[in-house]
Structure formats: C-alpha cells, structure tokens
Amino acid sequence: EIVMTQSPATLSVSPGERVTLSCRASQSISSNIAWYQQKPGQAPRLLLYTASTRATGIPARFSGSGSGAEFTLAINNLQSEDFAVYYCQQYNDWPRGLTFGGGTKVEIK
Amino acid sequence: QLQLQESGPGLVMPSETVSLTCSVSGGSISRSSFCWGWIRQPPGKGLEWIGTVYDSGGTYYNPSLRSRVTMSVDTSKNQFSLHLNSVTAADTAVYYCVRPAAVGSNYYGMDVWGQGTTVTVSS
C-alpha cells in the first residue's frame, strides 16, 4: 500500500498570507495525486487532480506542484473561507487502490 | 446537477452488518464508464477509501476491508449500496458516497460527494 504523509499537521496563518502544504508518497506516484478541502461538518471538496489541474470552480489562488513522491499545495492570499483541513490522495493504483494523507489543518493565527 | 444522498441506520450492534444506500439524482447511474464509491471518516480522523463499484457490477475494495465489504448497483432504483459485516467500534464513522470522475483507467478525483451519514457501532 502506498502511504501518503502530509506535513505539517497544523498551520497557523493570517488572512492574506501564502501557505504551502506538503504531501510525500512512500513511492513514486508520477503525478497521480488529488487534493481536497474539508470544512467542519461538510463533505470534502475536490480542489486539484493530476497534481496541478484545478477542478471546476476552484479559484486560481489554489495551485499544486510536484511529481514523483513530493507534492505541494499552495494557497495565495488566504481568504477566510480557506481555513479548513486539506487532504492529499494518491491514485497511482486506480482503480485497485486509493489512499489519503492524514490531513493538514490550516487555522487562523 | 448530479447529487448523492446516503441513507441507513444510525446505530448498529457490534458483530452485525451495516447496510447503506446511496441514491443518485440528476443523472443516470448506468451511464457508460461511470463508477461509484464509498469513503469513510472516523470521528476526528482522516479519510479512508472503502471501495469502488461499476454499473457493470465490477468492484474494487480496500484490502484492509475486503473480507467484510460488498458493494452493488441497482440501476432500476438509481442507487448503489454498501454492506459491511462483522462491525466493531472501529467502524464507527461518517460514511460518504462519492462519484469518482473517471473514464476507464483515467481518474480525475472524486468530484461529487454525498453529505455523509453517521454510523455508530455500539451495544
């Protein structure tokens, strides 16, 4: 099973700042990674797939990069609605397997 | 606009089987090449993929749950289902039904989610 490790577990930031979240795979997954945002009491929302392609309706301040085993989600000009938990998901073995990272919580400083 | 809605018992006894249904609206479940899935989230924890089912009946399950999971599609009702047997307290979670945006071997993320249903395993 491919293990996804996200860091840090929590980020304390101020509105307007830029943040970067990291996700590391236990083996190379090419660009087969997606990112999700989850707010309290809500289902996750798809942000990015194929490492850097934004899903429909996702603002341009969200961007993704990386390939192989190291990936980054960046959020520019952090808005109040961006405070949430972010998960990465690898799908290198699709459809036989999918695994998520443990999540990074972005909280207000 | 495609929408998903989970339904099922909120409380299940240990060792029993929990059965959940996901009703699909705004589109046909049997549209070619689509698949459907389940994700769960224990209280205060992260997301876990349970499995994927195709309208043809083909399935893929998380290896850690494979021995206890069955998924199926009912095209006549535009629904798909999850059955998890021999449940324990560790199966207590919010269960989400999802629609992976996938065509054949190409996957583009899980772009449609239900609101989730809470399942508590307790005597």
Side-chain angles (χ1 to χ4, degrees), chain A residues 19-58:
Chain A
V19 295
T20 57
L21 289 63
S22 296
C23 184
R24 173 179 293 179
S26 59
Q27 65 187 70
S28 177
I29 58 170
S30 185
S31 297
N32 296 318
I33 186 171
W35 290 91
Y36 298 83
Q37 175 194 68
Q38 186 179 33
K39 298 179 182 179
Q42 296 184 17
R45 177 176 71 146
L46 176 65
L47 297 176
L48 304 168
Y49 57 89
T50 321
S52 60
T53 304
R54 282 188 296 276
T56 302
I58 302 303

Side-chain angles (χ1 to χ4, degrees), chain B residues 15-18 40 48 50 61-71 82-92 95 121:
Chain B
S15 80
E16 294 190 342
T17 296
V18 60
R40 72 179 182 178
E48 180 180 35
I50 300 174
Y61 300 138
N62 186 321
S64 69
L65 298 170
R66 184 175 292 139
S67 63
R68 299 193 292 129
V69 171
T70 303
M71 293 182 185
L82 165 69
H83 303 281
L84 179 66
N85 61 40
S86 304
V87 298
T88 70
D91 295 310
T92 293
Y95 286 73
V121 180

Side-chain angles (χ1 to χ4, degrees), chain A residues 36 38 49 87 89 91 95 98, chain B residues 41 60 96 107-108 110 114:
Chain A
Y36 298 83
Q38 186 179 33
Y49 57 89
Y87 294 95
Q89 176 202 53
Y91 51 90
L98 298 168
Chain B
Q41 185 171 36
Y60 294 93
Y96 296 100
Y107 175 88
Y108 307 103
M110 293 175 175

